[in-house]
Amino acid sequence: MNSDERRNSIKKELEDKGKPIKGSVLAKEFGVTRQIIVKDIAILRAEGCDIFATPKGYIINKSTTSIIKRVIAVSHRPEEIEDELNSIVKFGGTVEDVIIEHSLYGEIRGVLMVKTPYDVQNFMEKLNKHRAEPLSILTGGVHLHTISADNEDDLNKIIDELNGKGYIISD
């Protein structure tokens, strides 16, 4: 299999699976090194594929016109992260990312793709296990999330829930 065929196969597999696939798994499957997979993903991105690297592996963004997205500005304490994430996923929302505006580096974005209570639990376990500081610690709790949902009604329920808990930053 040549490199073009391999990249097409990687793209198809990411589209078909619909869930993250680790680079090491792809490398083993295609009999190449993980570094070759990293290069293939970079080339696919340069060709216009919307592929995200998440802690769980690579995932292709299957954006459809039916998905509604909104960027929201929020602020809360680190101990409220789990509640914030659960407030979003309980209405069928996906927390696509976290974004902060850093005074030195400008915009810093982390891909999350948290969709289910299980994803929230895994995220919190990793945060605690690695004793990691959330990005929002750099901005006093202020951060942005891109939230997606299947429809406007679900998105409004998410916004209402976050607003009711005082997480949304208003003018």
Side-chain angles (χ1 to χ4, degrees), residues 58-73:
Y58 295 109
I59 188 166
I60 198 159
N61 185 11
K62 293 185 180 182
S63 290
T64 64
T65 54
S66 66
I67 299 292
I68 309 293
K69 291 186 183 191
R70 192 172 302 159
V71 177
I72 60 169

Side-chain angles (χ1 to χ4, degrees), residues 99-115:
I99 305 164
I100 63 161
E101 184 66 34
H102 192 272
S103 59
L104 178 60
Y105 299 112
E107 185 177 284
I108 300 174
R109 177 178 182 255
V111 177
L112 299 179
M113 300 309 282
V114 173
K115 301 177 184 184

Side-chain angles (χ1 to χ4, degrees), residues 56 72 74-99 110-128 134-136 143-148 154 157-159 161-162 165 167:
K56 298 179 194 172
I72 60 169
V74 293
S75 180
H76 56 75
R77 298 182 318 270
E79 57 270 17
E80 296 172 313
I81 292 171
E82 187 171 9
D83 183 59
E84 176 203 33
L85 296 175
N86 278 319
S87 296
I88 295 166
V89 302
K90 84 176 185 182
F91 291 109
T94 299
V95 186
E96 295 190 5
D97 57 21
V98 59
I99 305 164
V111 177
L112 299 179
M113 300 309 282
V114 173
K115 301 177 184 184
T116 67
Y118 179 74
D119 291 342
V120 173
Q121 181 183 347
N122 278 342
F123 179 81
M124 295 308 299
E125 285 174 3
K126 285 182 183 177
L127 187 68
N128 293 325
L135 284 177
S136 61
H143 57 287
L144 304 173
H145 285 302
T146 305
I147 307 294
S148 60
D154 289 346
K157 288 176 187 171
I158 293 166
I159 301 299
E161 176 90 1
L162 294 173
K165 292 182 176 192
Y167 295 155

